[in-house]
């Protein structure tokens, strides 16, 4: 059982619930931050894509 939890809005998606959920899970974005795998739902991913990419630069701090 694979449950995705959006790191920003807390939306959850049970990727194994049914075929449609499985398809939807493919549009979620996986990111690797501070040694943890985090997920973003499609709408948050769109809004925060630059912030997510920007975190690469934040490692220089
Ligand atoms: Zn979200």
């Amino acid at each position: 059982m694979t449950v995705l939890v959006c790191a920003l809005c807390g939306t959850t998606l049970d990727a194994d619930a049914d075929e449609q959920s499985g398809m939807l899970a493919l549009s979620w974005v996986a990111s690797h931050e501070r040694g943890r795998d985090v997920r973003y739902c499609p709408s948050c991913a769109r809004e925060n894509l630059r912030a997510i990419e920007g975190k690469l630069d934040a490692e220089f701090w």
Side-chain angles (χ1 to χ4, degrees):
M1 182 155 145
T2 306
V3 178
L4 305 177
V5 182
C6 178
L8 288 173
C9 70
T11 293
T12 59
L13 173 70
D14 184 352
D16 294 333
D18 53 42
E19 195 172 327
Q20 189 181 8
S21 296
M23 294 290 288
L24 199 58
L26 298 178
S27 59
W28 282 51
V29 174
S31 181
H32 203 70
E33 297 175 11
R34 297 172 186 268
R36 291 192 328 140
D37 285 320
V38 295
R39 309 283 174 148
Y40 299 102
C41 70
S43 59
C44 287
R46 249 195 315 275
E47 289 178 15
N48 293 280
L49 194 57
R50 281 179 197 185
I52 293 169
E53 290 175 342
K55 282 174 183 158
L56 296 174
D57 294 334
E59 290 184 6
F60 286 109
W61 294 4

mmCIF file with all atom_site columns, all heavy atoms in Angstrom, residues 30-40 55-56 59:
data_model
loop_
_atom_site.group_PDB
_atom_site.id
_atom_site.type_symbol
_atom_site.label_atom_id
_atom_site.label_alt_id
_atom_site.label_comp_id
_atom_site.label_asym_id
_atom_site.label_entity_id
_atom_site.label_seq_id
_atom_site.pdbx_PDB_ins_code
_atom_site.Cartn_x
_atom_site.Cartn_y
_atom_site.Cartn_z
_atom_site.occupancy
_atom_site.B_iso_or_equiv
_atom_site.pdbx_formal_charge
_atom_site.auth_seq_id
_atom_site.auth_comp_id
_atom_site.auth_asym_id
_atom_site.auth_atom_id
_atom_site.pdbx_PDB_model_num
ATOM 1   N N   . ALA A 1 30 ? 8.074  13.950 -6.612 1.00 0.00 ? 30 ALA A N   1
ATOM 2   C CA  . ALA A 1 30 ? 8.900  13.494 -5.502 1.00 0.00 ? 30 ALA A CA  1
ATOM 3   C C   . ALA A 1 30 ? 10.126 14.379 -5.402 1.00 0.00 ? 30 ALA A C   1
ATOM 4   O O   . ALA A 1 30 ? 10.750 14.709 -6.389 1.00 0.00 ? 30 ALA A O   1
ATOM 5   C CB  . ALA A 1 30 ? 9.312  12.047 -5.727 1.00 0.00 ? 30 ALA A CB  1
ATOM 6   N N   . SER A 1 31 ? 10.445 14.779 -4.180 1.00 0.00 ? 31 SER A N   1
ATOM 7   C CA  . SER A 1 31 ? 11.626 15.605 -3.966 1.00 0.00 ? 31 SER A CA  1
ATOM 8   C C   . SER A 1 31 ? 12.431 15.010 -2.816 1.00 0.00 ? 31 SER A C   1
ATOM 9   O O   . SER A 1 31 ? 11.884 14.325 -1.954 1.00 0.00 ? 31 SER A O   1
ATOM 10  C CB  . SER A 1 31 ? 11.200 17.044 -3.640 1.00 0.00 ? 31 SER A CB  1
ATOM 11  O OG  . SER A 1 31 ? 12.339 17.859 -3.443 1.00 0.00 ? 31 SER A OG  1
ATOM 12  N N   . HIS A 1 32 ? 13.700 15.279 -2.826 1.00 0.00 ? 32 HIS A N   1
ATOM 13  C CA  . HIS A 1 32 ? 14.558 14.727 -1.772 1.00 0.00 ? 32 HIS A CA  1
ATOM 14  C C   . HIS A 1 32 ? 15.119 15.892 -0.976 1.00 0.00 ? 32 HIS A C   1
ATOM 15  O O   . HIS A 1 32 ? 15.893 16.682 -1.492 1.00 0.00 ? 32 HIS A O   1
ATOM 16  C CB  . HIS A 1 32 ? 15.680 13.918 -2.419 1.00 0.00 ? 32 HIS A CB  1
ATOM 17  C CG  . HIS A 1 32 ? 16.257 12.900 -1.492 1.00 0.00 ? 32 HIS A CG  1
ATOM 18  N ND1 . HIS A 1 32 ? 15.557 11.779 -1.089 1.00 0.00 ? 32 HIS A ND1 1
ATOM 19  C CD2 . HIS A 1 32 ? 17.458 12.821 -0.881 1.00 0.00 ? 32 HIS A CD2 1
ATOM 20  C CE1 . HIS A 1 32 ? 16.319 11.070 -0.275 1.00 0.00 ? 32 HIS A CE1 1
ATOM 21  N NE2 . HIS A 1 32 ? 17.469 11.666 -0.128 1.00 0.00 ? 32 HIS A NE2 1
ATOM 22  N N   . GLU A 1 33 ? 14.669 16.009 0.272  1.00 0.00 ? 33 GLU A N   1
ATOM 23  C CA  . GLU A 1 33 ? 15.089 17.153 1.066  1.00 0.00 ? 33 GLU A CA  1
ATOM 24  C C   . GLU A 1 33 ? 15.575 16.708 2.433  1.00 0.00 ? 33 GLU A C   1
ATOM 25  O O   . GLU A 1 33 ? 14.900 15.975 3.138  1.00 0.00 ? 33 GLU A O   1
ATOM 26  C CB  . GLU A 1 33 ? 13.911 18.114 1.240  1.00 0.00 ? 33 GLU A CB  1
ATOM 27  C CG  . GLU A 1 33 ? 13.456 18.676 -0.102 1.00 0.00 ? 33 GLU A CG  1
ATOM 28  C CD  . GLU A 1 33 ? 12.209 19.521 0.056  1.00 0.00 ? 33 GLU A CD  1
ATOM 29  O OE1 . GLU A 1 33 ? 11.844 19.823 1.198  1.00 0.00 ? 33 GLU A OE1 1
ATOM 30  O OE2 . GLU A 1 33 ? 11.611 19.858 -0.972 1.00 0.00 ? 33 GLU A OE2 1
ATOM 31  N N   . ARG A 1 34 ? 16.758 17.172 2.807  1.00 0.00 ? 34 ARG A N   1
ATOM 32  C CA  . ARG A 1 34 ? 17.332 16.850 4.113  1.00 0.00 ? 34 ARG A CA  1
ATOM 33  C C   . ARG A 1 34 ? 17.308 15.353 4.391  1.00 0.00 ? 34 ARG A C   1
ATOM 34  O O   . ARG A 1 34 ? 16.989 14.907 5.483  1.00 0.00 ? 34 ARG A O   1
ATOM 35  C CB  . ARG A 1 34 ? 16.573 17.575 5.227  1.00 0.00 ? 34 ARG A CB  1
ATOM 36  C CG  . ARG A 1 34 ? 16.675 19.078 5.106  1.00 0.00 ? 34 ARG A CG  1
ATOM 37  C CD  . ARG A 1 34 ? 15.761 19.741 6.102  1.00 0.00 ? 34 ARG A CD  1
ATOM 38  N NE  . ARG A 1 34 ? 15.749 21.194 5.902  1.00 0.00 ? 34 ARG A NE  1
ATOM 39  C CZ  . ARG A 1 34 ? 16.562 22.027 6.540  1.00 0.00 ? 34 ARG A CZ  1
ATOM 40  N NH1 . ARG A 1 34 ? 17.434 21.580 7.380  1.00 0.00 ? 34 ARG A NH1 1
ATOM 41  N NH2 . ARG A 1 34 ? 16.489 23.312 6.313  1.00 0.00 ? 34 ARG A NH2 1
ATOM 42  N N   . GLY A 1 35 ? 17.584 14.573 3.379  1.00 0.00 ? 35 GLY A N   1
ATOM 43  C CA  . GLY A 1 35 ? 17.655 13.130 3.570  1.00 0.00 ? 35 GLY A CA  1
ATOM 44  C C   . GLY A 1 35 ? 16.307 12.437 3.616  1.00 0.00 ? 35 GLY A C   1
ATOM 45  O O   . GLY A 1 35 ? 16.235 11.235 3.827  1.00 0.00 ? 35 GLY A O   1
ATOM 46  N N   . ARG A 1 36 ? 15.227 13.210 3.420  1.00 0.00 ? 36 ARG A N   1
ATOM 47  C CA  . ARG A 1 36 ? 13.904 12.596 3.433  1.00 0.00 ? 36 ARG A CA  1
ATOM 48  C C   . ARG A 1 36 ? 13.278 12.699 2.051  1.00 0.00 ? 36 ARG A C   1
ATOM 49  O O   . ARG A 1 36 ? 13.511 13.655 1.329  1.00 0.00 ? 36 ARG A O   1
ATOM 50  C CB  . ARG A 1 36 ? 12.979 13.311 4.425  1.00 0.00 ? 36 ARG A CB  1
ATOM 51  C CG  . ARG A 1 36 ? 13.367 13.106 5.865  1.00 0.00 ? 36 ARG A CG  1
ATOM 52  C CD  . ARG A 1 36 ? 12.239 13.594 6.768  1.00 0.00 ? 36 ARG A CD  1
ATOM 53  N NE  . ARG A 1 36 ? 11.510 14.726 6.205  1.00 0.00 ? 36 ARG A NE  1
ATOM 54  C CZ  . ARG A 1 36 ? 10.188 14.851 6.282  1.00 0.00 ? 36 ARG A CZ  1
ATOM 55  N NH1 . ARG A 1 36 ? 9.471  13.949 6.887  1.00 0.00 ? 36 ARG A NH1 1
ATOM 56  N NH2 . ARG A 1 36 ? 9.588  15.891 5.766  1.00 0.00 ? 36 ARG A NH2 1
ATOM 57  N N   . ASP A 1 37 ? 12.463 11.720 1.715  1.00 0.00 ? 37 ASP A N   1
ATOM 58  C CA  . ASP A 1 37 ? 11.685 11.812 0.491  1.00 0.00 ? 37 ASP A CA  1
ATOM 59  C C   . ASP A 1 37 ? 10.382 12.513 0.807  1.00 0.00 ? 37 ASP A C   1
ATOM 60  O O   . ASP A 1 37 ? 9.657  12.091 1.699  1.00 0.00 ? 37 ASP A O   1
ATOM 61  C CB  . ASP A 1 37 ? 11.384 10.415 -0.058 1.00 0.00 ? 37 ASP A CB  1
ATOM 62  C CG  . ASP A 1 37 ? 12.627 9.818  -0.711 1.00 0.00 ? 37 ASP A CG  1
ATOM 63  O OD1 . ASP A 1 37 ? 13.347 10.565 -1.380 1.00 0.00 ? 37 ASP A OD1 1
ATOM 64  O OD2 . ASP A 1 37 ? 12.843 8.612  -0.538 1.00 0.00 ? 37 ASP A OD2 1
ATOM 65  N N   . VAL A 1 38 ? 10.099 13.586 0.109  1.00 0.00 ? 38 VAL A N   1
ATOM 66  C CA  . VAL A 1 38 ? 8.839  14.288 0.301  1.00 0.00 ? 38 VAL A CA  1
ATOM 67  C C   . VAL A 1 38 ? 8.078  14.309 -1.014 1.00 0.00 ? 38 VAL A C   1
ATOM 68  O O   . VAL A 1 38 ? 8.657  14.191 -2.080 1.00 0.00 ? 38 VAL A O   1
ATOM 69  C CB  . VAL A 1 38 ? 9.045  15.726 0.822  1.00 0.00 ? 38 VAL A CB  1
ATOM 70  C CG1 . VAL A 1 38 ? 9.657  15.691 2.211  1.00 0.00 ? 38 VAL A CG1 1
ATOM 71  C CG2 . VAL A 1 38 ? 9.905  16.521 -0.142 1.00 0.00 ? 38 VAL A CG2 1
ATOM 72  N N   . ARG A 1 39 ? 6.772  14.459 -0.917 1.00 0.00 ? 39 ARG A N   1
ATOM 73  C CA  . ARG A 1 39 ? 5.922  14.452 -2.125 1.00 0.00 ? 39 ARG A CA  1
ATOM 74  C C   . ARG A 1 39 ? 5.095  15.717 -2.167 1.00 0.00 ? 39 ARG A C   1
ATOM 75  O O   . ARG A 1 39 ? 4.716  16.256 -1.143 1.00 0.00 ? 39 ARG A O   1
ATOM 76  C CB  . ARG A 1 39 ? 4.961  13.260 -2.079 1.00 0.00 ? 39 ARG A CB  1
ATOM 77  C CG  . ARG A 1 39 ? 5.637  11.949 -1.803 1.00 0.00 ? 39 ARG A CG  1
ATOM 78  C CD  . ARG A 1 39 ? 6.330  11.435 -3.036 1.00 0.00 ? 39 ARG A CD  1
ATOM 79  N NE  . ARG A 1 39 ? 7.091  10.240 -2.705 1.00 0.00 ? 39 ARG A NE  1
ATOM 80  C CZ  . ARG A 1 39 ? 7.302  9.239  -3.552 1.00 0.00 ? 39 ARG A CZ  1
ATOM 81  N NH1 . ARG A 1 39 ? 6.802  9.299  -4.756 1.00 0.00 ? 39 ARG A NH1 1
ATOM 82  N NH2 . ARG A 1 39 ? 8.009  8.217  -3.197 1.00 0.00 ? 39 ARG A NH2 1
ATOM 83  N N   . TYR A 1 40 ? 4.816  16.156 -3.383 1.00 0.00 ? 40 TYR A N   1
ATOM 84  C CA  . TYR A 1 40 ? 3.943  17.295 -3.585 1.00 0.00 ? 40 TYR A CA  1
ATOM 85  C C   . TYR A 1 40 ? 2.839  16.912 -4.543 1.00 0.00 ? 40 TYR A C   1
ATOM 86  O O   . TYR A 1 40 ? 3.100  16.301 -5.585 1.00 0.00 ? 40 TYR A O   1
ATOM 87  C CB  . TYR A 1 40 ? 4.725  18.484 -4.150 1.00 0.00 ? 40 TYR A CB  1
ATOM 88  C CG  . TYR A 1 40 ? 5.831  18.965 -3.235 1.00 0.00 ? 40 TYR A CG  1
ATOM 89  C CD1 . TYR A 1 40 ? 7.149  18.631 -3.477 1.00 0.00 ? 40 TYR A CD1 1
ATOM 90  C CD2 . TYR A 1 40 ? 5.522  19.730 -2.112 1.00 0.00 ? 40 TYR A CD2 1
ATOM 91  C CE1 . TYR A 1 40 ? 8.160  19.058 -2.626 1.00 0.00 ? 40 TYR A CE1 1
ATOM 92  C CE2 . TYR A 1 40 ? 6.521  20.156 -1.260 1.00 0.00 ? 40 TYR A CE2 1
ATOM 93  C CZ  . TYR A 1 40 ? 7.838  19.823 -1.517 1.00 0.00 ? 40 TYR A CZ  1
ATOM 94  O OH  . TYR A 1 40 ? 8.828  20.236 -0.675 1.00 0.00 ? 40 TYR A OH  1
ATOM 95  N N   . LYS A 1 55 ? 15.757 25.213 -3.833 1.00 0.00 ? 55 LYS A N   1
ATOM 96  C CA  . LYS A 1 55 ? 16.395 24.633 -2.659 1.00 0.00 ? 55 LYS A CA  1
ATOM 97  C C   . LYS A 1 55 ? 17.764 24.059 -2.987 1.00 0.00 ? 55 LYS A C   1
ATOM 98  O O   . LYS A 1 55 ? 18.566 23.837 -2.107 1.00 0.00 ? 55 LYS A O   1
ATOM 99  C CB  . LYS A 1 55 ? 15.506 23.548 -2.056 1.00 0.00 ? 55 LYS A CB  1
ATOM 100 C CG  . LYS A 1 55 ? 14.376 24.183 -1.259 1.00 0.00 ? 55 LYS A CG  1
ATOM 101 C CD  . LYS A 1 55 ? 13.395 23.173 -0.765 1.00 0.00 ? 55 LYS A CD  1
ATOM 102 C CE  . LYS A 1 55 ? 12.249 23.891 -0.046 1.00 0.00 ? 55 LYS A CE  1
ATOM 103 N NZ  . LYS A 1 55 ? 11.055 23.107 0.027  1.00 0.00 ? 55 LYS A NZ  1
ATOM 104 N N   . LEU A 1 56 ? 18.006 23.816 -4.253 1.00 0.00 ? 56 LEU A N   1
ATOM 105 C CA  . LEU A 1 56 ? 19.340 23.359 -4.635 1.00 0.00 ? 56 LEU A CA  1
ATOM 106 C C   . LEU A 1 56 ? 20.362 24.436 -4.293 1.00 0.00 ? 56 LEU A C   1
ATOM 107 O O   . LEU A 1 56 ? 21.437 24.165 -3.804 1.00 0.00 ? 56 LEU A O   1
ATOM 108 C CB  . LEU A 1 56 ? 19.378 23.057 -6.140 1.00 0.00 ? 56 LEU A CB  1
ATOM 109 C CG  . LEU A 1 56 ? 18.473 21.903 -6.584 1.00 0.00 ? 56 LEU A CG  1
ATOM 110 C CD1 . LEU A 1 56 ? 18.493 21.796 -8.096 1.00 0.00 ? 56 LEU A CD1 1
ATOM 111 C CD2 . LEU A 1 56 ? 18.930 20.591 -5.963 1.00 0.00 ? 56 LEU A CD2 1
ATOM 112 N N   . GLU A 1 59 ? 21.553 25.119 -0.507 1.00 0.00 ? 59 GLU A N   1
ATOM 113 C CA  . GLU A 1 59 ? 22.581 24.298 0.122  1.00 0.00 ? 59 GLU A CA  1
ATOM 114 C C   . GLU A 1 59 ? 23.903 25.061 0.270  1.00 0.00 ? 59 GLU A C   1
ATOM 115 O O   . GLU A 1 59 ? 24.791 24.635 0.985  1.00 0.00 ? 59 GLU A O   1
ATOM 116 C CB  . GLU A 1 59 ? 22.796 23.004 -0.663 1.00 0.00 ? 59 GLU A CB  1
ATOM 117 C CG  . GLU A 1 59 ? 21.601 22.077 -0.531 1.00 0.00 ? 59 GLU A CG  1
ATOM 118 C CD  . GLU A 1 59 ? 21.840 20.755 -1.231 1.00 0.00 ? 59 GLU A CD  1
ATOM 119 O OE1 . GLU A 1 59 ? 22.960 20.540 -1.708 1.00 0.00 ? 59 GLU A OE1 1
ATOM 120 O OE2 . GLU A 1 59 ? 20.899 19.973 -1.290 1.00 0.00 ? 59 GLU A OE2 1
#
